[in-house]
Amino acid sequence: MVKKALVTGSGGLMGAYDAGVLVILGRELGADYFDSIYASSVGVFISTFFKSGQSDTIENTWRNLVHSKQLVNFTNPLRGKQVLDLEYLAEIFQDERSLLNLRAVMSSRTKLTYVLTEDPSGKTRYFQPEERNLFDAMRASAALPLVHSAVRVDGQLYRDGGLIDKLPIKKALEERNDELIVVYNKPEGFSYGLKESRITKILSLTLPKEISKLVRHRDSQNKELDRIIKQNRRVKVIRPTIPLPLTSVIDTDKERINASIDLGIRDAEEFLRTYKER
């Protein structure tokens, strides 16, 4: 039997693209199509809703519940909140605004793996969430340094999984999956802008040494991922051919978020036309 895996990764609000892609994969392939799901950073939210059969719900979340100052607000610290308000996401995922079907997540046969970065060591942790710690693990994997502090899960502090493994293709290959569908919200050859990179490197000096090192060298992962995608025939990737309308990982403009979702929908539809003809 062919073992199939779904891989999603980091990107902050650029995860709008992933949401668009998974809406189509959910409708056309179904929530139980994959044997395993590997997710890092913002990918944990979208992939978990995919596993529960709620791709439409996460699309609505991205279209209507994360724009403007709902998720990212630089005045939040004045009110005792994080700039990136992951606690807000965990809250709406547990009420009528964007309720996650936990029973469906836990009863699904699909193995779900999150990437977390240990704080302060910077070590990788591949984590299978349980019902009791799922929302904490979600927040931890998406806890982007400089805009959110480390999150405690089962007594250990963690930060953004994207620091150490922004798109866990290698892990999926190592676990002998025969076919990977990878959702990558960066076009080939992507690199962070010079101004953004300089500011990030300066601010990263306030972080623990190993975490700071990961932040400063985040571009190196992009080149390695492009190489793996090109060289491995088991990897089938859905990615934009042009930069997303969103200007950064914390761009909360509603119009640009929705345009990125729409781009993901179109790219997924195009991918499936060829994929289903095999």
Side-chain angles (χ1 to χ4, degrees):
M1 186 180 73
V2 176
K3 285 179 61 181
K4 298 180 290 294
L6 173 67
V7 181
T8 64
S10 64
L13 271 297
M14 291 179 180
Y17 177 86
D18 307 57
V21 170
L22 290 198
V23 165
I24 300 305
L25 296 188
R27 289 176 189 165
E28 297 298 322
L29 301 180
D32 294 326
Y33 182 77
F34 297 100
D35 299 283
S36 299
I37 295 174
Y38 301 83
S40 183
S41 196
V42 67
V44 302
F45 304 121
I46 301 152
S47 295
T48 304
F49 275 84
F50 176 89
K51 180 179 177 179
S52 72
Q54 295 176 280
S55 297
D56 290 342
T57 302
I58 202 65
E59 179 189 9
N60 178 66
T61 302
W62 245 245
R63 287 196 186 278
N64 299 303
L65 298 175
V66 298
H67 64 83
S68 303
K69 295 183 178 180
Q70 292 173 304
L71 181 61
V72 178
N73 187 342
F74 284 92
T75 66
N76 272 350
L78 299 176
R79 294 181 289 277
K81 296 182 177 182
Q82 305 277 344
V83 172
L84 175 61
D85 195 355
L86 298 175
E87 290 65 37
Y88 160 74
L89 283 185
E91 180 182 299
I92 66 173
F93 292 162
Q94 297 176 79
D95 66 31
E96 69 282 353
R97 288 170 290 178
S98 188
L99 184 64
L100 175 66
N101 186 340
L102 264 177
R103 179 174 294 179
V105 174
M106 293 303 152
S107 63
S108 168
R109 69 171 184 82
T110 304
K111 186 180 78 168
L112 180 63
T113 301
Y114 293 166
V115 184
L116 289 79
T117 303
E118 287 189 8
D119 183 90
S121 71
K123 293 180 180 178
T124 315
R125 173 79 185 277
Y126 294 102
F127 189 88
Q128 277 81 51
E130 301 174 15
E131 185 171 350
R132 63 180 178 80
N133 59 24
L134 182 131
F135 293 109
D136 287 341
M138 278 184 168
R139 291 190 301 116
S141 187
L144 187 66
L146 306 177
V147 289
H148 198 287
S149 59
V151 174
R152 192 174 298 278
V153 183
D154 296 345
Q156 169 66 48
L157 287 173
Y158 297 99
R159 293 185 186 264
D160 183 13
L163 289 172
I164 194 72
D165 192 353
K166 67 168 54 181
L167 194 63
I169 298 174
K170 277 187 176 181
K171 182 65 174 175
L173 291 171
E174 286 170 3
E175 296 195 344
R176 299 185 182 279
N177 289 286
D178 301 299
E179 180 178 282
L180 281 60
I181 293 183
V182 175
V183 184
Y184 192 11
N185 53 48
K186 310 289 192 304
E188 188 175 345
F190 173 85
S191 63
Y192 297 97
L194 185 59
K195 182 179 179 181
E196 180 184 354
S197 294
R198 284 176 175 171
I199 292 172
T200 301
K201 285 178 179 179
I202 291 169
L203 294 176
S204 73
L205 298 176
T206 64
L207 298 168
K209 180 181 176 182
E210 294 304 317
I211 301 299
S212 175
K213 189 184 300 182
L214 291 172
V215 171
R216 286 184 281 114
H217 293 93
R218 59 182 181 159
D219 244 349
S220 61
Q221 283 196 56
N222 300 326
K223 296 173 185 177
E224 175 66 5
L225 287 169
D226 282 346
R227 185 190 65 78
I228 294 171
I229 289 168
K230 284 181 178 179
Q231 293 182 357
N232 201 299
R233 297 179 65 181
R234 285 187 281 166
V235 177
K236 304 183 186 308
V237 65
I238 305 173
R239 70 190 306 179
T241 56
I242 58 173
L244 296 186
L246 288 160
T247 59
S248 76
V249 297
I250 53 173
D251 180 355
T252 58
D253 179 83
K254 186 174 185 179
E255 196 171 297
R256 290 192 289 271
I257 290 172
N258 278 278
S260 298
I261 294 171
D262 293 338
L263 182 58
I265 287 173
R266 290 195 297 272
D267 286 350
E269 289 173 339
E270 181 62 32
F271 171 83
L272 286 178
R273 274 192 282 273
T274 302
Y275 183 74
K276 288 184 171 182
E277 290 172 359
R278 299 174 310 154

